[in-house]
Amino acid sequence: MTNQQRCPATAVTGVSRAADRTVTPNHGNPGGGSTAKNNYLHRAGRIADGPDTGKAVFPLASTGISRHTNAMHIALFAPYSQGPIRGNIITVQRIARNLALYGVSTCIIPLDSLSKQEISQQLNATPPNLIHAFHAFHAGPLAREIAQESGIPYVISITGSDLFDAALRDHPATQNALNAATAVSCFDQIIAQQLTRHFPAIADRLEIIPQGVEPLSCPTSIKRQANTFIVLLPAALRPAKGILEAVEALAPVAATDSRLRLWLVGGALDTG
């Protein structure tokens, strides 16, 4: 039985292969490099083992991959699978792809196209060892609810707006989901510091694993004007991404150096 066959209804693997780079260990991005991959797999394996094995669940002091890793099946809860391309689903797909390279079966659960009943039926048909929710507000509460009903441990990855959008960050559902998670991950030390300031209870369960970096094919040639200095900001047009802050920060430089350009890579996700 192949990795994809285990979740025939919504099995999705990543569309891109990450560059295998060594990065600072962080929470859960197998697409980020060999060190990050091994840390994710090791932690996932130990979480899935649970307290019944007598092993520490989190944090992990030892290294290596759990002996159960190759038999693991992980359900990845993705808030978005339709509409504009979002960084969230790109990250989920990359992690799924690279977990498959390590023999780990994954199943992407698109929360925007399946009801809770359909999700529960799918998980009951092929029970995962672990639920990995991407976004504390949009995916965390459902992961918490299903985990409570099924006894399956769950982890949450902070993806951006669940921290930087105050309405989402301060929502009781976000706090409840984070407080009940077996582990929480983020992609950067600065984000980790802000997380522990807003959610001090998760400090001992917080892991940092940087985002992966991979080469991208460019379908069309991008013309760059001669004698320009370009700052590239990969972010959608939305307040939580800090677009205005970037413009304001670069404005003094642009006033004295006409070569400066700010290029944005991302669509307009917020309207109104």
Side-chain angles (χ1 to χ4, degrees):
M1 183 174 292
T2 66
N3 291 346
Q4 295 187 29
Q5 289 174 338
R6 297 190 66 175
C7 293
T10 58
V12 181
T13 56
V15 296
S16 57
R17 177 186 293 269
D20 194 15
R21 294 177 172 84
T22 299
V23 296
T24 303
N26 179 329
H27 139 202
N29 198 336
S34 57
T35 302
K37 292 173 187 174
N38 289 343
N39 275 273
Y40 177 92
L41 293 172
H42 175 54
R43 284 156 172 74
R46 294 294 289 273
I47 291 172
D49 283 346
D52 291 342
T53 64
K55 303 175 183 178
V57 177
F58 242 81
L60 302 172
S62 59
T63 60
I65 299 176
S66 167
R67 61 188 177 86
H68 297 300
T69 297
N70 289 336
M72 285 191 67
H73 177 50
I74 301 177
L76 308 176
F77 279 25
Y80 304 105
S81 64
Q82 306 178 70
I85 296 176
R86 298 171 180 262
N88 187 298
I89 189 61
I90 296 297
T91 297
V92 173
Q93 290 174 338
R94 183 175 64 252
I95 289 177
R97 167 61 180 166
N98 283 273
L99 284 174
L101 296 179
Y102 277 70
V104 177
S105 173
T106 62
C107 184
I108 294 181
I109 305 295
L111 304 185
D112 57 349
S113 60
L114 294 177
S115 66
K116 182 194 172 183
Q117 181 179 0
E118 291 172 322
I119 294 172
S120 297
Q121 289 174 346
Q122 183 169 330
L123 297 183
N124 288 335
T126 309
N129 304 97
L130 178 70
I131 295 172
H132 188 159
F134 291 83
H135 201 282
F137 177 78
H138 291 306
L142 182 60
R144 173 176 176 262
E145 187 175 347
I146 291 180
Q148 290 177 332
E149 295 172 355
S150 64
I152 300 171
Y154 76 98
V155 299
I156 295 176
S157 279
I158 300 298
T159 62
S161 61
D162 42 0
L163 174 63
F164 296 111
D165 186 325
L168 303 183
R169 180 193 64 219
D170 298 337
H171 197 285
T174 299
Q175 182 170 352
N176 292 337
L178 288 172
N179 287 341
T182 301
V184 179
S185 74
C186 64
F187 302 125
D188 183 85
Q189 180 63 41
I190 295 176
I191 295 177
Q193 293 172 355
Q194 295 192 43
L195 272 173
T196 53
R197 183 165 65 249
H198 290 286
F199 306 100
I202 70 171
D204 62 343
R205 293 175 285 119
L206 180 61
E207 294 287 329
I208 304 172
I209 299 181
Q211 282 275 39
V213 178
E214 56 193 9
L216 299 175
S217 60
C218 188
T220 58
S221 176
I222 299 177
K223 295 182 180 181
R224 174 177 175 177
Q225 293 179 332
N227 195 32
T228 57
F229 185 89
I230 298 173
V231 176
L232 185 67
L233 178 57
L237 294 174
R238 56 188 318 197
K241 297 300 182 181
I243 305 298
L244 293 179
E245 287 83 350
V247 173
E248 293 172 355
L250 292 173
V253 181
T256 59
D257 191 340
S258 61
R259 299 176 304 154
L260 183 63
R261 302 288 187 274
L262 175 61
W263 284 11
L264 302 178
V265 181
L269 298 184
D270 293 343
T271 59

